[in-house]
Amino acid sequence: MSNFTMKIRNVKNIKKLDFDIPTEKGLYALTGENGSGKSTIIASAASSFYVPWLYDYFGEPRETSKITFDLDGKRREIVAKENKSWSTPKEHIDINGFYEGSIVYGNRFRNSDYELVNKISRVSSEQLRPASEFVRKQLGLILRDDEDYYDEKLFTLKRELKLTFEKKYKIKTDLFYFSNQGSLVSQLQMSTGENLLLTVLRSLELRTNKKNDSKYPTYVYLDEIELALHPAAIHRFILFLEELVEKFNLIVFFSTHSSDILRRITPDNIFYVQNMLGGEVKLLNPCYPAFATRKLEAANYGYDFLIFVEDYLAQHIIEKVLKEQRLLSQRKILVLPIGGWKQVLKFASDIIHSHLAPASTKILIVLDGDIKEQVPSFIEEAELRFSRPPQYLPVPSLEKYLLHNLYENLDYDLMNELNDYIFQITSVEDIINNYKKNIKSGEYTKSNGKLNSGVNSGKNLYFLFNTELKKQRKTEKELVDCITEYLFRTNDKNLQKLNDFFREQLSK
């Protein structure tokens, strides 16, 4: 795996940030509250492959302002110069991509003054040619759910006029026109969503048509794009991006606080921006959508019971218990995965004591079974208060469950089940053997290793399983479903304790 790091020092409100930028294709999200630094981080990351208008983005640098990238032995630096300007990076680190800064910044029009708007508006139909099929169809599908909506209605400048506009107004992107009931509407006069999406689609078209000679994926950074798009359009846009990611080896990074986007991205690919004391910024990863949007979605917590758990395995086990015990009748119940057990406890405390859920809603906390002894001391140290003490699942975390039952104490029935239904190409045995080789080679104990955190936690083994899932175009949900079915079919003795707990709590 490649090692791609970005270090930000004294840029805007960020005093210090170290970020291991992913190098595996997929959809990713950077999220956090307003003013947390999302846009600064995403714009800084984009400067790994092009020279942005740094003064426009970050203002006048401080003496110690610096953005540094390191990628497999190559380095690229942007620093403050003596004249209080930003240096132009000369080093290339073999990264390709583009950045769209939504409403405020981006690659559209840097000088949209009245003269430009006037000139653009006076273009005649004879000076235009049809827009590409790619842009027309995708714009129609995403905004209207109709690929033919813009057929024979969407145009762009002919080459000669485009060159004139580029020379006189420094416009390097394509300009689009929509023929609406006999009138031409320029891109600058279109809705914000149309304007934004046209530029993104054209950039994607240019980038995917161009061969990527780099061994790394192409990076697409999109900053708060949801501000211009309807939720239904966001949904269709993400479906479109998911196809492009697989076909063209892309990494699409959203800077967002949209629950519509976050729900479509796996928690392993969500980074939550945390502002620490003194201006240092940390990124919490993995992050579950419920944690990232807890304050935005407080109004949606109109449930009789909220059950907070750590991960999707816990969610599936509890939802199956509730269904099989017929405990969903006449009750509105939501099971929310939050993240690590400390996050769950802090999250629950925040919801309770900030009154983010209605007073009539009962909150239950169910944690993985392997941390039961650590919880009381943490609750006391963090000064948390709960009227209902946390309960515990009959299994530890998904990572530890797989480590214990497939490596430390092999469960042949479970292994065969996973081979039959999930790992049909590369078997569980092959994955375990790969894990053993990595242990023997010292891969998980290297000081600079990407996976050395928690050697015995199961995270390293789970990384191998998750990598294989992606190769086979399968999801974590399929793995979780398989394990949950196995637990219930083998009638795990600890499940009865969970049954009794929910029957008691939900009958009060």
Side-chain angles (χ1 to χ4, degrees):
M1 176 183 290
S2 296
N3 188 13
F4 186 19
T5 62
M6 175 178 69
K7 294 182 179 180
I8 300 175
R9 297 292 185 268
N10 298 310
V11 177
K12 293 192 73 173
N13 64 325
I14 298 177
K15 183 176 181 180
K16 178 183 178 182
L17 169 69
D18 294 342
F19 182 19
D20 289 330
I21 300 177
T23 55
E24 293 287 325
K25 68 181 179 182
L27 297 181
Y28 295 83
L30 192 71
T31 187
E33 296 186 16
N34 289 333
S36 60
K38 300 188 301 297
S39 294
T40 300
I41 296 169
I42 210 86
S44 296
S47 65
S48 63
F49 53 78
Y50 86 114
V51 181
W53 296 273
L54 290 169
Y55 191 88
D56 289 351
Y57 287 105
F58 306 136
E60 187 177 283
R62 300 190 282 276
E63 289 183 6
T64 53
S65 295
K66 178 188 289 189
I67 305 170
T68 306
F69 299 95
D70 289 285
L71 174 60
D72 295 341
K74 298 179 181 178
R75 170 165 286 200
R76 177 178 171 97
E77 282 190 339
I78 303 170
V79 300
K81 294 162 59 176
E82 290 184 1
N83 62 355
K84 295 185 179 180
S85 63
W86 294 89
S87 67
T88 300
K90 298 178 181 178
E91 310 87 359
H92 297 280
I93 54 173
D94 204 22
I95 291 292
N96 298 308
F98 80 89
Y99 166 76
E100 177 52 51
S102 187
I103 303 298
V104 182
Y105 300 120
N107 292 326
R108 282 170 292 157
F109 310 109
R110 306 301 302 177
N111 54 347
S112 300
D113 56 22
Y114 289 111
E115 181 189 356
L116 176 59
V117 173
N118 189 40
K119 281 287 185 184
I120 289 174
S121 301
R122 292 184 179 183
V123 169
S124 66
S125 58
E126 289 76 20
Q127 295 172 297
L128 300 176
R129 57 186 173 85
S132 70
E133 181 181 2
F134 177 89
V135 173
R136 290 198 319 269
K137 284 191 173 183
Q138 296 308 326
L139 187 69
L141 280 172
I142 294 167
L143 292 183
R144 309 283 182 169
D145 199 20
D146 179 1
E147 68 174 24
D148 297 323
Y149 183 84
Y150 291 95
D151 232 15
E152 299 182 359
K153 297 177 184 177
L154 192 66
F155 304 89
T156 189
L157 297 175
K158 288 183 177 178
R159 187 173 182 275
E160 296 79 7
L161 188 58
K162 179 185 175 183
L163 293 174
T164 300
F165 273 58
E166 182 176 328
K167 183 177 180 180
K168 187 171 182 179
Y169 299 106
K170 310 301 181 185
I171 296 177
K172 295 184 179 181
T173 187
D174 288 272
L175 283 170
F176 291 90
Y177 291 80
F178 176 45
S179 178
N180 186 16
Q181 299 181 5
S183 299
L184 280 176
V185 179
S186 75
Q187 186 172 348
L188 291 181
Q189 296 166 316
M190 294 181 191
S191 71
T192 304
E194 286 177 310
N195 188 343
L196 169 67
L197 198 55
L198 279 168
T199 302
V200 172
L201 289 173
R202 181 56 177 156
S203 296
L204 283 169
E205 181 180 31
L206 291 172
R207 180 50 60 187
T208 54
N209 283 341
K210 186 177 180 181
K211 184 180 179 182
N212 183 7
D213 294 323
S214 170
K215 68 177 181 179
Y216 307 105
T218 296
Y219 285 80
V220 177
Y221 291 110
L222 302 173
D223 186 12
E224 294 191 334
I225 197 168
E226 73 275 5
L227 297 179
L229 296 178
H230 186 276
I234 291 173
H235 172 73
R236 293 189 289 265
F237 183 49
I238 290 178
L239 289 176
F240 162 67
L241 289 174
E242 286 174 340
E243 293 179 5
L244 290 190
V245 162
E246 293 300 325
K247 187 175 180 179
F248 295 103
N249 192 26
L250 304 181
I251 286 178
V252 179
F253 233 116
F254 295 95
S255 166
T256 183
H257 42 66
S258 165
S259 57
D260 297 300
I261 292 176
L262 293 172
R263 289 194 192 102
R264 295 299 304 269
I265 299 177
T266 175
D268 285 337
N269 290 3
I270 298 176
F271 297 81
Y272 188 82
V273 182
Q274 296 179 304
N275 296 98
M276 317 301 286
L277 292 176
E280 183 174 359
V281 172
K282 297 284 188 182
L283 297 180
L284 175 66
N285 172 259
C287 175
Y288 283 77
F291 180 84
T293 61
R294 60 195 183 281
K295 294 182 180 178
L296 297 173
E297 296 192 282
N300 294 331
Y301 290 155
Y303 291 84
D304 299 308
F305 293 88
L306 287 175
I307 303 174
F308 296 144
V309 299
E310 293 186 46
D311 54 28
Y312 290 133
L313 177 61
Q315 181 187 30
H316 280 252
I317 290 173
I318 290 172
E319 287 177 342
K320 192 168 181 65
V321 166
L322 297 176
K323 184 176 180 180
E324 293 204 348
Q325 296 299 310
R326 299 185 179 277
L327 295 172
L328 295 172
S329 177
Q330 298 180 339
R331 302 177 182 90
K332 193 176 180 184
I333 302 172
L334 178 64
V335 184
L336 278 176
I338 307 300
W341 63 272
K342 292 181 180 179
Q343 284 176 241
V344 175
L345 293 170
K346 290 180 178 179
F347 180 92
S349 179
D350 192 18
I351 295 297
I352 292 169
H353 299 296
S354 299
H355 304 291
L356 292 176
S360 60
T361 300
K362 295 180 180 178
I363 293 177
L364 306 177
I365 303 168
V366 182
L367 304 174
D368 296 341
D370 56 324
I371 46 86
K372 186 174 182 178
E373 303 302 321
Q374 304 173 54
V375 170
S377 60
F378 176 77
I379 289 178
E380 184 177 351
E381 291 170 7
E383 299 182 345
L384 305 179
R385 300 186 308 280
F386 302 109
S387 58
R388 298 176 181 83
Q391 295 299 310
Y392 301 90
L393 287 172
V395 294
S397 66
L398 177 58
E399 294 95 335
K400 286 188 177 179
Y401 179 79
L402 292 173
L403 181 72
H404 178 72
N405 290 281
L406 297 176
Y407 175 70
E408 297 174 344
N409 187 24
L410 181 60
D411 183 334
Y412 284 97
D413 291 335
L414 174 63
M415 180 180 70
N416 291 332
E417 183 103 347
L418 293 175
N419 281 335
D420 289 343
Y421 295 101
I422 306 294
F423 300 104
Q424 298 168 329
I425 300 175
T426 300
S427 68
V428 170
E429 296 97 320
D430 291 335
I431 297 172
I432 294 297
N433 287 333
N434 190 14
Y435 178 68
K436 290 178 180 178
K437 288 179 183 176
N438 288 345
I439 291 176
K440 189 173 181 180
S441 68
E443 176 69 22
Y444 301 138
T445 55
K446 295 175 182 177
S447 60
N448 62 345
K450 298 271 289 183
L451 303 172
N452 64 333
S453 173
V455 173
N456 299 318
S457 68
K459 293 185 183 298
N460 298 317
L461 176 60
Y462 186 72
F463 176 83
L464 298 180
F465 277 111
N466 199 34
T467 300
E468 188 57 38
L469 285 173
K470 292 177 181 177
K471 287 181 181 178
Q472 298 188 24
R473 302 294 298 275
K474 294 182 179 178
T475 65
E476 183 184 41
K477 183 180 182 301
E478 293 176 86
L479 175 61
V480 167
D481 285 342
C482 187
I483 292 172
T484 303
E485 290 295 329
Y486 179 78
L487 284 170
F488 278 80
R489 192 172 65 255
T490 55
N491 197 26
D492 190 288
K493 62 182 179 180
N494 289 312
L495 285 173
Q496 188 57 45
K497 296 179 183 177
L498 208 56
N499 293 341
D500 295 341
F501 167 73
F502 282 118
R503 271 200 302 270
E504 178 186 355
Q505 292 296 324
L506 271 59
S507 63
K508 291 181 178 180

